[in-house]
Amino acid sequence: MNYYIVTSEVFDELDKKLIEFAHSSVDGSEWTVTTTELIDNETLSFENTLEISLYTAEEGSFWTGDNTGIEEWELDGIKYLNGI
Amino acid sequence: MANVLSHINGVESSRIRSVNTVQIANIDNVIGMEYNEPSASFDNANAVAKSITTGTGQSVRIADTNGKFNFIHSSAYTISFWVKAGWNSSLNTNIHLFSSTTSGTTNSSANMIRIFYHESNNRLYFEYRSASNAKKSNFYLFHANSGNHAAAYAAAGLGSSQYWSSANRGNANSAGYTMITVTKGTSNSAGSSNAPMYWNATPLGNGHYGSNGTGQGTPNMSTADRQIAIGSNSWSYAKSGNSAETKYNDVTIWDKKLSQSEITELYNSGTPLDATAHSASSNLKMYYKMENNGNDSSGNSAPNIVLSGNSNFESK
């Protein structure tokens, strides 16, 4: 699995069938993504779900409306479903 | 229909203890008029408002130290509460409506049972875990009027274009509250056949993962004492919403899987009732009316709710 932060433009081009988790920033400009797809135009990449969770917690208000960021269990438990 | 004796010599019968040393409850009739004992009063003026600030110091929580809430993967139980959404459409994360984990832990998977709403995706989840790789869940999606989601779409009444929030409470009573209920049977499954969920006593259908639900591994929970959080998660007391406080009322916990008719009875056409008068009240294990205190009203000496910080009891 690969763990990325990408812009909305890059997200639009990703293969949605390969995405396990996706969460947009509050303003919609960036996405946190876990996917089996390998990409080379990401904004940031991470080693695991814990690292990506800690990063979003540091910028909590950018990622969530309650300022808390994305918890690690969400990255494993909230399945991305294309279209819904 | 019997006549009801409302007054004796101009005094309301409810204010009279006895007549000529005879207890009022023992008087069947006076001069041919039948007397009915007045119903026990049930005040429902208040609710608990959970602060949107996170942390233990802002929590609404129950520390169970006497095994009143020790449900495991094979337990049958029901959790029901009324909720009035305070969050707005910018929440962009989840809000935990009910959460329980092992007492004293910060491990989100330790004997965890929870009901949470994921605002980002407009999904209502029920999940339980014994470990991060031993979990069962299902979710109900509210904005798609098709397939497994159609029942939830109809039950919630939120529509297809807006998610659940303080600006769009969907099918709610006149005070803006919705009764959310999960009823679990003894199978180790969060699927709708074993653990259906209800919105105002209306079934939410199969849910996304259907009658068998989904999961990983095989949860094997223990009966360890739990910490219960209302309006946040129970391991860090976060995920409490945004914008305005969300309110909760009349939390009931039962040690059986309530039937559809029993949930309909509890819903009472949108008017919360005294759960101690419910036909399944012998299975009522914990009951919190939130009438300006956190007392348990089940009669089982369950632990009380403790409020911290800006969370408070207030007008519903």
Side-chain angles (χ1 to χ4, degrees), chain B residues 183-244:
Chain B
T183 60
K184 182 184 171 300
T186 54
S187 298
N188 197 350
S189 167
S192 59
S193 64
N194 187 56
M197 293 192 78
Y198 299 81
W199 179 291
N200 288 342
T202 300
L204 291 175
N206 284 334
H208 182 74
Y209 293 111
S211 59
N212 294 323
T214 189
Q216 179 182 5
T218 304
N220 184 21
M221 303 168 75
S222 81
T223 56
D225 284 329
R226 313 290 168 77
Q227 53 199 21
I228 300 171
I230 307 297
S232 73
N233 70 38
S234 51
W235 51 93
S236 65
Y237 298 97
K239 300 301 179 185
S240 299
N242 71 333
S243 182

Side-chain angles (χ1 to χ4, degrees), chain A residues 66, chain B residues 50-54 58 86 240-246 310-311:
Chain A
D66 66 353
Chain B
K50 169 64 182 74
S51 165
I52 60 174
T53 307
T54 62
Q58 299 289 331
S240 299
N242 71 333
S243 182
E245 294 175 339
T246 292
N310 294 324
S311 296

Side-chain angles (χ1 to χ4, degrees), chain B residues 50-305:
Chain B
K50 169 64 182 74
S51 165
I52 60 174
T53 307
T54 62
T56 309
Q58 299 289 331
S59 63
V60 176
R61 60 186 180 137
I62 304 163
D64 184 14
T65 58
N66 58 4
K68 297 300 181 184
F69 189 90
N70 58 357
F71 300 126
I72 62 173
H73 53 280
S74 58
S75 298
Y77 56 85
T78 297
I79 300 167
S80 188
F81 53 84
W82 296 77
V83 57
K84 183 178 183 179
W87 65 88
N88 67 20
S89 60
S90 297
L91 180 58
N92 198 40
T93 184
N94 62 83
I95 175 169
H96 277 56
L97 309 177
F98 179 97
S99 176
S100 66
T101 39
T102 301
S103 293
T105 189
T106 57
N107 178 357
S108 62
S109 298
N111 289 313
M112 182 259 276
I113 298 172
R114 63 177 169 178
I115 300 167
F116 67 96
Y117 172 65
H118 204 266
E119 192 278 332
S120 312
N121 299 319
N122 203 23
R123 303 174 184 174
L124 181 67
Y125 279 81
F126 169 62
E127 183 182 38
Y128 60 92
R129 299 182 177 202
S130 61
S132 60
N133 60 357
K135 56 192 178 184
K136 299 289 185 182
S137 69
N138 199 3
F139 76 77
Y140 302 84
L141 185 77
F142 293 126
H143 57 276
N145 187 16
S146 60
N148 273 4
H149 307 305
Y153 176 91
L158 295 165
S160 58
S161 59
Q162 290 188 69
Y163 293 178
W164 190 15
S165 74
S166 57
N168 184 39
R169 295 195 175 104
N171 292 329
N173 69 10
S174 58
Y177 284 79
T178 298
M179 192 179 87
I180 298 294
T181 308
V182 61
T183 60
K184 182 184 171 300
T186 54
S187 298
N188 197 350
S189 167
S192 59
S193 64
N194 187 56
M197 293 192 78
Y198 299 81
W199 179 291
N200 288 342
T202 300
L204 291 175
N206 284 334
H208 182 74
Y209 293 111
S211 59
N212 294 323
T214 189
Q216 179 182 5
T218 304
N220 184 21
M221 303 168 75
S222 81
T223 56
D225 284 329
R226 313 290 168 77
Q227 53 199 21
I228 300 171
I230 307 297
S232 73
N233 70 38
S234 51
W235 51 93
S236 65
Y237 298 97
K239 300 301 179 185
S240 299
N242 71 333
S243 182
E245 294 175 339
T246 292
K247 296 185 180 183
Y248 303 84
N249 202 6
D250 294 292
V251 176
T252 54
I253 296 170
W254 316 69
D255 66 355
K256 70 170 287 191
K257 179 182 181 181
L258 292 183
S259 68
Q260 168 70 78
S261 62
E262 288 168 333
I263 295 167
T264 299
E265 178 186 351
L266 183 64
Y267 177 59
N268 192 33
S269 302
T271 302
L273 51 67
D274 184 348
T276 62
H278 189 276
S279 62
S281 61
S282 62
N283 296 102
L284 182 62
K285 306 308 290 183
M286 306 171 84
Y287 179 21
Y288 301 95
K289 297 179 179 178
M290 314 296 188
E291 289 305 310
N292 281 328
N293 63 63
N295 295 346
D296 165 61
S297 298
S298 70
N300 295 316
S301 301
N304 295 338
I305 284 179

Side-chain angles (χ1 to χ4, degrees), chain A residues 33-62:
Chain A
V33 180
T34 66
T35 176
T36 54
E37 184 176 4
L38 277 170
I39 63 175
D40 58 10
N41 54 352
E42 76 274 17
T43 303
L44 290 169
S45 65
F46 299 86
E47 289 294 316
N48 51 46
T49 55
L50 176 60
E51 293 299 321
I52 205 166
S53 174
L54 292 172
Y55 178 82
T56 63
E58 290 177 0
E59 297 190 352
S61 62
F62 182 75

